[in-house]
Amino acid sequence: MALVTITGYPCSGKTKRVQQLTNFLEGQFRLPEYSKLNLKIVVISDDSLNLPRSVYNDTRSEKPARGALFSTVQRYMNPSTIVILDSLNYIKGFRYQLYCAAKETGVRVCTLFIAAMPNQCIEWNNERDPGFAYTPDTLENLIMRYEEPSSMVRWDSPLFTIPWDETELPKDQIWFAITQGDIKPANVGTRPTPQAPTDALQVLENTTVSIISSITSEQITSGGTGGTINISFPTNKFQISLPARTITFSELQRLKRAFINMYKKVITQGAAEQRVDFTEESIARKFIEYLEQNMQA
């Protein structure tokens, strides 16, 4: 359904805002128009993944922590779930990565920026229990490196900036963004590549051979006078118009090879062709059309 990315300085009050948002969404889900849709909220945070604040002390431990957050977000994103990522999310490249994952999954996105002054964050950090506090050097480093979100870039939009001293969230605007906002189409490079059936090449070969055999038999019977002939398959019958001459077997074989080669890339490499139907009926129809267009009179 949606991915809500929470971002802000360490100790800026992000988790408090997540709780406000969660309470609001749960109330919305109880409304008659939503109560039967089985919608869910999943909050993913450093604490839910047992990531201590110490992982931000150096980049070597921070990178796998971000990887754990990202993979968990990917696992829970689906059309019936609002995923809320309650973490620093202070690197714009990471927010872009989340945005791309949401596009690929087909869910909406929005970003909540919890804005607080650095000195206020330092004060709140000092009030925390040691196990949930950042070291002074780490906190200062994270604040210095923070990359503020911008509504001008697509991966942070729609962006809601929440001042630390604001009592309420812009609930209606957030609700609209996650239920009616645009769903960005996945990039071509990230779309799943459609795969041909495992027996596609065999169906292609057998169907074209059957059609050539029918044409050859008909020419023997009619003496090569051409005209319209019927070709029967177990589930359907087709007609093909032949030129008024004898079509040699070698000519039919050449056209068959050319037709098969047109589809081999789709079959063997999984080319991103959405319209190819590898059923016997579809292949027969296309091969007959191909023959009619390429047999010289």
Side-chain angles (χ1 to χ4, degrees), residues 182-206:
D182 293 336
I183 298 178
K184 306 297 182 183
N187 297 331
V188 172
T190 63
R191 291 175 186 161
T193 302
Q195 299 294 322
T198 56
D199 64 343
L201 190 58
Q202 181 179 354
V203 172
L204 191 63
E205 178 71 24
N206 292 345

Side-chain angles (χ1 to χ4, degrees), residues 189-246:
T190 63
R191 291 175 186 161
T193 302
Q195 299 294 322
T198 56
D199 64 343
L201 190 58
Q202 181 179 354
V203 172
L204 191 63
E205 178 71 24
N206 292 345
T207 304
T208 52
V209 165
S210 179
I211 291 173
I212 287 176
S213 297
S214 296
I215 293 173
T216 302
S217 298
E218 177 64 24
Q219 288 196 124
I220 293 173
T221 302
S222 65
T225 57
T228 301
I229 66 170
N230 294 317
I231 298 175
S232 297
F233 282 87
T235 58
N236 210 336
K237 290 185 178 180
F238 299 93
Q239 290 185 330
I240 181 170
S241 297
L242 302 177
R245 65 176 179 85
T246 298

Side-chain angles (χ1 to χ4, degrees), residues 65-285:
R66 282 201 305 272
L69 289 166
F70 180 74
S71 61
T72 306
V73 167
Q74 282 187 304
R75 186 163 66 251
Y76 283 104
M77 279 194 300
N78 63 68
S80 63
T81 301
I82 296 176
V83 177
I84 303 174
L85 179 57
D86 176 18
S87 188
L88 295 178
N89 303 318
Y90 71 100
I91 299 174
K92 63 182 179 182
F94 183 55
R95 296 197 298 269
Y96 176 71
Q97 188 180 8
L98 292 166
Y99 167 79
C100 291
K103 284 195 355 176
E104 185 175 351
T105 308
V107 300
R108 297 176 176 84
V109 296
C110 74
T111 304
L112 270 60
F113 172 38
I114 314 306
M117 299 298 292
N119 59 347
Q120 181 67 70
C121 296
I122 293 171
E123 180 181 336
W124 283 336
N125 185 63
N126 292 335
E127 295 173 356
R128 288 186 170 186
D129 292 335
F132 294 93
Y134 299 88
T135 65
D137 289 344
T138 297
L139 181 61
E140 182 180 351
N141 185 42
L142 289 171
I143 291 175
M144 182 179 63
R145 292 165 53 201
Y146 186 81
E147 296 176 338
E148 189 170 314
S150 170
S151 59
M152 301 298 291
V153 298
R154 61 189 183 279
W155 57 87
D156 288 331
S157 299
L159 174 65
F160 302 96
T161 300
I162 319 296
W164 68 272
D165 57 352
E166 184 70 47
T167 57
E168 292 293 331
L169 298 174
K171 297 175 181 176
D172 292 340
Q173 294 94 315
I174 295 173
W175 179 248
F176 180 86
I178 62 182
T179 59
Q180 301 181 53
D182 293 336
I183 298 178
K184 306 297 182 183
N187 297 331
V188 172
T190 63
R191 291 175 186 161
T193 302
Q195 299 294 322
T198 56
D199 64 343
L201 190 58
Q202 181 179 354
V203 172
L204 191 63
E205 178 71 24
N206 292 345
T207 304
T208 52
V209 165
S210 179
I211 291 173
I212 287 176
S213 297
S214 296
I215 293 173
T216 302
S217 298
E218 177 64 24
Q219 288 196 124
I220 293 173
T221 302
S222 65
T225 57
T228 301
I229 66 170
N230 294 317
I231 298 175
S232 297
F233 282 87
T235 58
N236 210 336
K237 290 185 178 180
F238 299 93
Q239 290 185 330
I240 181 170
S241 297
L242 302 177
R245 65 176 179 85
T246 298
I247 304 166
T248 64
F249 182 73
S250 61
E251 180 182 353
L252 290 171
Q253 284 291 93
R254 176 179 58 80
L255 292 172
K256 168 181 169 287
R257 285 194 299 270
F259 178 80
I260 288 177
N261 286 336
M262 288 167 44
Y263 292 94
K264 269 192 174 179
K265 183 178 180 181
V266 180
I267 295 171
T268 60
Q269 299 180 17
E273 171 58 68
Q274 301 283 0
R275 295 168 294 176
V276 174
D277 180 356
F278 285 100
T279 62
E280 182 182 73
E281 181 177 330
S282 176
I283 293 297
R285 183 181 296 106

